């Protein structure tokens, strides 16, 4: 946690959170017109607060995957 810099967090968030959000927004109309209406995001156990492993490290990655999980839930509820 203490070795994670704002630049580290920003870089990982741009990929895992912002990139996913923009992709979901861009393709959502296609998904809604499709038969299956399925969107997929790739998360990780490290992004789970409920299953958090009691060890440090991977701060930026863990935070970004937790945010991605919330983004996916919000996307599903809003569409």
């Amino acid at each position: 946690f203490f070795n994670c810099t704002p630049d580290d967090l920003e870089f990982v968030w741009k990929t895992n959170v912002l990139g996913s959000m923009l992709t979901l927004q861009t393709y959502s109309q296609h998904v809604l017109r499709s038969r299956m209406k399925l969107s997929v995001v790739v998360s990780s156990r490290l992004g789970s607060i409920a299953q958090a492993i009691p060890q440090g490290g991977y701060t930026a990655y863990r935070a970004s995957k937790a945010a991605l999980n919330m983004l996916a839930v919000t996307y599903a509820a809003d569409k």
Side-chain angles (χ1 to χ4, degrees):
F1 177 84
F2 296 102
N3 292 326
C4 182
T5 68
D7 287 339
D8 294 336
L9 189 62
E10 181 182 16
F11 178 78
V12 175
W13 273 57
K14 280 184 177 178
T15 301
N16 290 343
V17 183
L18 183 58
S20 295
M21 184 187 78
L22 293 173
T23 301
L24 288 169
Q25 287 175 340
T26 300
Y27 289 99
S28 65
Q29 292 195 15
H30 299 290
V31 171
L32 292 172
R33 284 194 305 262
S34 72
R35 207 169 9 145
M36 293 186 67
K37 297 183 180 20
L38 178 67
S39 295
V40 177
V41 298
V42 179
S43 188
S44 165
R45 182 174 178 213
L46 291 176
S48 171
I49 294 171
Q51 297 180 20
I53 301 169
Q55 65 186 148
Y58 307 104
T59 301
Y61 180 80
R62 287 176 189 247
S64 73
K65 289 300 184 172
L68 176 62
N69 292 339
M70 182 55 72
L71 184 77
V73 168
T74 304
Y75 170 74
D78 284 351
K79 64 178 185 166

